[in-house]
Amino acid sequence: MSDVASMSLGLPADIDADVGAIESGADDLDAVCRKMTGQSEGAHSQFQSSAGEFTDLIAWNIVSGSSEELAAWQEAAAALTYGAAVLRQWGLDIEAYRVERAKLETRWEEAKADAESAVSDVGSMPNMHGSLSSSAVAEGKVGELETLREELLTEHAGHWETLMDRAEQAEKDLRDGPGQETLERLVESALLSGSQLLYLGDAVPGMVPDELTGDEHPSIVNLWWTSMTEEEQEQAVRDHPDLLRELDGIPSTVRDELNREHLNDEIERLEEEIAERDEQIADIAARGSDASASIALNMSNDDTLDRELSTLTTLRDNLEDDGADRYLLALDAEGGGRAIVANGNPDTADNVATLVPGTTTTWQSINDQMGRANSLVDAAVDADEESNHSVISWIGYDAPNVVEAAGAGRAEDAVDELSSFQDGLRATHVNPSPSNNTVIGHSYGSTVVGHTAQGEGGLNADEIVLVGSPGANADHVSDLGFAPENVHVSTAENDNITYLTGLTHGMDPTDPDFGATDFRSDPGTDGGQWPLNDAHSEYFHEGRSSLAYMGEVIAGQK
């Protein structure tokens, strides 16, 4: 009977493919397309307007050329655009296969380690029959592992078959051009935008709804938006401002315009409510009795409306700062509410990061979160001065209080929102090459990121960062669906979150057995605000090594 220690899973060799080289090939096709259409930085949606700008690369002026020449030019542009998208989808398919492969390998190694431990424990028992017991246990564990190996190899065969089907389809799409099924898949993966499809004349029949309900996938929302004329878009804005201002898949500039109008309305509403309150206080106090004086005093001491107004006016000032480039993507000032602000336009940036905050965060935390986003943008610029960066303060879920943070409920409730938002960033991005997208989860925000990554819709990003994390609802990095080198984790020495990891939210992500890429944070302040210490909130402070590292991740340098 084989020894447990000598057993192996025996997966066949990994596919011989370099995803980095595939993505570089897609970038090269995009570069050729940009040159051909006279676009050094523009988007695919500018094909037609830029057609007359190039002279050296094609021997005729395309605008005044024959219909045959124009058709040839557009056919070439379509082939390059679709070819780049198909290559990128193939790269995603390879990565998806490798993630599933890694999960199988992890399951095998964990089962094998458990088996070896069981055999070792029995063998060390102080009884005269120990060797016999150890042999019997080893035989049983070998049988269990052989059964598991057969199960895992069968699962792998299914993943491999899917990958080979994708490879065959990618080869066909590159040779003959994508059919409807592939076009739908590329749109859903946000590898093709609505403007690209519509300009190239290949909008998938039936994909564009007549009206939106708000439940559509962001890629369909974007296809709907870009399918309309400018006049139709203006009418849609007038008819459905409350729907469009927070709808993933609507361009950031449109959402910003609508939400700034809403912000002004909210400020006016609060000013009116405060004026009415102050008038009531004056009327009650004028009655002159001790009771009325007490009521007036209690009403005066309630500064809820004043604090809300102060937050909103500060937000407006920050948005109107001439030295900033900010976009208000969502605002709901009711209760815990939500507020989403981008520092830098995510639709045009080369690198886009989403910062997901943790416990006790409400919409009124937005100005502080924007400060952290500023620091992250500066750190990204330090890492890469040539590229454009956008960092988004995402208060898009009901964060828990300290007691609720022990449970997973608030994280689960946030999954659909964060997943949709990340899909929306892909759908509205207008540069020919996809942006490098990072999601940063701080504190309980890292738990939200972990749940979302494992949710049905997944987390559409290239990198994730987890800092000060109580856990990401996972016991191994492979559970998150990202390669180990794309999951960056750190906890400061003096961050008391270390006393809470491994309890209710899975393994400590900084544990070496978790398998993620651990990076250094400064120790942080020893002491401070209970219960987690000031160190828990210092990852984004100027001059900290953690901030510099996160800037490099955002800039695609890690």
Side-chain angles (χ1 to χ4, degrees), residues 31 40 46 54 196 202 236 324 425 458 462 478 510 555:
S40 59
Q46 299 300 316
F54 65 91
Q196 288 171 305
D202 285 323
L425 292 178
D462 302 289
S478 60
T510 64

Side-chain angles (χ1 to χ4, degrees), residues 269-328:
R269 174 183 65 82
L270 284 170
E271 288 175 338
E272 291 174 359
E273 290 186 12
I274 289 173
E276 291 175 1
R277 180 204 64 192
D278 291 346
E279 185 177 344
Q280 281 184 313
I281 292 174
D283 289 343
I284 293 173
R287 296 172 187 171
S289 67
D290 291 342
S292 61
S294 176
I295 293 172
L297 179 61
N298 288 336
M299 292 179 66
S300 298
N301 288 336
D302 184 358
D303 64 348
T304 301
L305 295 178
D306 304 271
R307 286 186 287 106
E308 290 182 358
L309 178 61
S310 176
T311 298
L312 291 180
T313 53
T314 301
L315 173 59
R316 183 167 64 182
D317 290 342
N318 286 331
L319 291 170
E320 294 177 350
D321 182 356
D322 292 337
D325 181 31
R326 298 191 176 103
Y327 300 81
L328 182 58

Side-chain angles (χ1 to χ4, degrees), residues 321-522:
D321 182 356
D322 292 337
D325 181 31
R326 298 191 176 103
Y327 300 81
L328 182 58
L329 304 182
L331 178 65
D332 177 6
E334 296 294 328
R338 64 199 301 254
I340 303 173
V341 175
N343 286 26
N345 188 345
D347 295 349
T348 58
D350 302 302
N351 303 298
V352 180
T354 303
L355 175 60
V356 183
T359 307
T360 70
T361 306
T362 70
W363 70 268
Q364 294 191 61
S365 310
I366 187 59
N367 293 302
D368 290 337
Q369 290 297 310
M370 287 166 59
R372 291 181 175 181
N374 280 337
S375 298
L376 288 167
V377 169
D378 290 343
V381 171
D382 289 342
D384 181 0
E385 296 181 357
E386 301 301 320
S387 298
N388 295 320
H389 312 286
S390 173
V391 177
I392 301 163
S393 303
W394 189 82
I395 306 176
Y397 79 111
D398 292 329
N401 59 35
V402 173
V403 174
E404 292 169 331
R410 294 300 179 95
E412 279 295 307
D413 290 343
V415 165
D416 290 344
E417 293 289 340
L418 182 56
S419 180
S420 175
F421 184 77
Q422 290 303 120
D423 285 340
L425 292 178
R426 293 296 193 195
T428 57
H429 197 257
V430 296
N431 290 352
S433 298
S435 55
N436 175 65
N437 285 11
T438 302
V439 180
I440 302 172
H442 173 236
S443 189
Y444 193 86
S446 69
T447 307
V448 173
V449 171
H451 279 266
T452 305
Q454 297 170 81
E456 183 177 352
L459 189 65
N460 199 333
D462 302 289
E463 313 277 342
I464 60 176
V465 178
L466 311 175
V467 289
S469 174
N473 187 45
D475 291 323
H476 192 268
V477 67
S478 60
D479 295 337
L480 301 177
F482 286 76
E485 62 269 21
N486 300 128
V487 180
H488 311 265
V489 299
S490 187
T491 296
E493 179 183 341
N494 291 321
D495 184 349
N496 283 347
I497 196 71
T498 54
Y499 296 113
L500 303 177
T501 56
L503 298 178
T504 59
H505 297 303
M507 181 182 285
D508 180 351
T510 64
D511 190 312
D513 290 338
F514 188 77
T517 300
D518 196 3
F519 65 93
R520 178 180 176 274
S521 285
D522 297 316

Side-chain angles (χ1 to χ4, degrees), residues 133-186:
S133 299
S134 178
S135 175
V137 170
E139 183 174 354
K141 292 301 179 182
V142 166
E144 291 177 9
L145 287 175
E146 287 177 341
T147 299
L148 177 62
R149 177 168 55 194
E150 183 178 348
E151 175 187 337
L152 296 181
L153 290 175
T154 299
E155 288 187 30
H156 175 267
H159 295 311
W160 181 261
E161 183 179 357
T162 297
L163 182 64
M164 291 301 99
D165 289 343
R166 298 298 191 194
E168 183 179 348
Q169 186 62 50
E171 181 180 2
K172 182 178 183 299
D173 293 333
L174 289 171
R175 182 181 65 247
D176 304 329
Q180 179 167 325
E181 183 177 347
T182 297
L183 285 176
E184 289 179 352
R185 192 161 182 249
L186 295 176

Side-chain angles (χ1 to χ4, degrees), residues 106-236:
T106 298
R107 287 169 59 189
W108 171 259
E109 291 302 327
E110 289 176 348
K112 183 178 174 181
D114 290 343
E116 290 177 333
S117 177
V119 172
S120 176
D121 289 345
V122 173
S124 63
M125 291 175 62
N127 66 69
M128 60 184 300
H129 300 296
S131 60
L132 179 61
S133 299
S134 178
S135 175
V137 170
E139 183 174 354
K141 292 301 179 182
V142 166
E144 291 177 9
L145 287 175
E146 287 177 341
T147 299
L148 177 62
R149 177 168 55 194
E150 183 178 348
E151 175 187 337
L152 296 181
L153 290 175
T154 299
E155 288 187 30
H156 175 267
H159 295 311
W160 181 261
E161 183 179 357
T162 297
L163 182 64
M164 291 301 99
D165 289 343
R166 298 298 191 194
E168 183 179 348
Q169 186 62 50
E171 181 180 2
K172 182 178 183 299
D173 293 333
L174 289 171
R175 182 181 65 247
D176 304 329
Q180 179 167 325
E181 183 177 347
T182 297
L183 285 176
E184 289 179 352
R185 192 161 182 249
L186 295 176
V187 169
E188 290 172 358
S189 298
L191 295 173
L192 285 177
S193 68
S195 59
Q196 288 171 305
L197 280 177
L198 291 161
Y199 178 75
L200 296 171
D202 285 323
V204 180
M207 287 190 69
V208 182
D210 295 330
E211 294 288 342
L212 292 183
T213 65
D215 296 326
E216 293 82 3
H217 188 274
S219 62
I220 301 302
V221 171
N222 187 252
L223 193 59
W224 170 82
W225 176 261
T226 54
S227 70
M228 294 187 290
T229 65
E230 184 175 346
E231 291 76 14
E232 289 172 334
Q233 291 174 348
E234 292 173 352
Q235 186 61 50

